[in-house]
Amino acid sequence: MDGVTLRFGGLMALAGLDLRVEEGEILGLIGPNGAGTTSAFNLVTGVYAPGEGDIRLAGQSTVGLLPHELASRGIARTFQNIRLFGSLSVLDNVRVAVASRQHGGFWNALWRGRAFHAGERAAEVEAMDLLSLFGLERQSATLASGLPYGDQRRLELARAPALRPRLLLLDAPAAGMNPTEKAALAELIRFIRQKFQLAVLLVEHDMPVVMGLCERIVVLDHGVKIAEGTPAQVRVHPQVIEAYLGAEPAHA
């Protein structure tokens, strides 16, 4: 993101934001409520278009592309409020994501010929492989709505690699989790990054999760970037302490 500005009427949501996610990096994007982190996510995923500035993926501008077009180019996202297909099985939730990459065409789907059935079988095999990687294969027939909260988060993360993204955006993935679930989540995100060779942009309000997981952190306040650096640098930055972390710097 180069010089990206976003306004809603008279409200400046983001002001000249410069942000770069490197290949294979886990980058944290943090700030107090109203800082602009969600707006940044919505810009990257095509929900909003910037008023000024440019957004590029692998050197190519993405401004003006719709969310589904960005997904096909390698940008996947999860949401703070889990968005599973609750009435579908665990397997079908992942199979839908796999099938979104297939291009069998309308007539092939309508007539359900040999190519259609071959594609369905391939999608099921790939979906089951992903469920196995995420420890959900035994729950493949369970309705997604019937999973415990932590497993619902795990399922949401299992769907993302099915899109074969280059960049995965995680919006408050630790929300509502207990300490044990948070520790497991952090390990899962590291696994996803390494296994699928992708970059991760993380918005999260749980500071132990952010500080323990991210290699680099960008801090926003009222739409302006006030700090950028390693967790050790950010946790002692005076503006970050004043705006977000509290009166006293956290010790390593």
Side-chain angles (χ1 to χ4, degrees):
M1 305 179 74
D2 289 329
V4 169
T5 294
L6 178 67
R7 296 181 179 87
F8 298 105
L11 174 65
M12 180 75 75
L14 290 172
L17 177 61
D18 294 325
L19 184 146
R20 181 181 181 89
V21 185
E22 303 288 348
E23 289 190 25
E25 178 182 33
I26 301 178
L27 175 68
L29 182 63
I30 67 172
N33 290 332
T37 56
T38 298
S39 293
F41 261 38
N42 286 333
L43 284 163
V44 174
T45 54
V47 177
Y48 302 147
E52 300 170 21
D54 194 17
I55 304 171
R56 298 189 302 275
L57 176 67
Q60 300 296 314
S61 179
T62 64
V63 174
L65 295 180
L66 298 174
H68 73 275
E69 295 172 318
L70 290 168
S72 69
R73 293 195 180 197
I75 296 178
R77 175 184 183 173
T78 68
F79 293 84
Q80 180 172 351
N81 298 318
I82 297 174
R83 299 191 182 183
L84 298 173
F85 299 112
S87 61
L88 296 182
S89 70
V90 168
L91 174 61
D92 283 341
N93 266 268
V94 179
R95 185 159 49 183
V96 165
V98 174
S100 70
R101 302 196 326 266
Q102 298 176 339
H103 303 286
F106 172 77
W107 293 110
N108 185 43
L110 180 64
W111 296 113
R112 295 177 176 264
R114 185 177 301 172
F116 171 82
H117 290 292
E120 288 286 289
R121 287 192 295 271
E124 181 170 347
V125 169
E126 183 176 342
M128 281 300 300
D129 287 344
L130 284 168
L131 291 179
S132 296
L133 284 173
F134 287 83
L136 293 168
E137 69 276 13
R138 293 185 178 180
Q139 296 154 289
S140 62
T142 303
L143 290 182
S145 59
L147 291 177
Y149 182 84
D151 285 345
Q152 288 190 19
R153 278 289 181 197
R154 186 178 292 268
L155 176 57
E156 190 173 47
L157 288 172
R159 287 195 309 190
L163 297 173
R164 297 183 182 173
R166 302 182 62 172
L167 174 64
L168 174 59
L169 289 78
L170 303 178
D171 190 356
M177 288 188 168
N178 61 44
T180 300
E181 290 172 331
K182 290 174 184 178
L185 172 72
E187 288 303 313
L188 186 57
I189 293 171
R190 293 189 187 98
F191 167 78
I192 292 171
R193 187 263 300 267
Q194 181 177 1
K195 174 69 177 179
F196 299 101
Q197 297 296 297
L198 48 78
V200 176
L201 179 58
L202 171 74
V203 165
E204 180 56 62
H205 296 291
D206 188 294
M207 286 302 98
V209 171
V210 172
M211 296 294 177
L213 184 60
C214 299
E215 290 115 358
R216 192 163 54 90
I217 298 171
V218 171
V219 188
L220 303 182
D221 187 31
H222 294 95
V224 176
K225 181 166 67 175
I226 61 172
E228 179 176 358
T230 66
Q233 292 168 333
V234 164
R235 64 161 49 100
V236 296
H237 193 287
Q239 284 182 276
V240 177
I241 294 169
E242 180 181 358
Y244 193 44
L245 295 183
E248 295 294 332
H251 297 290

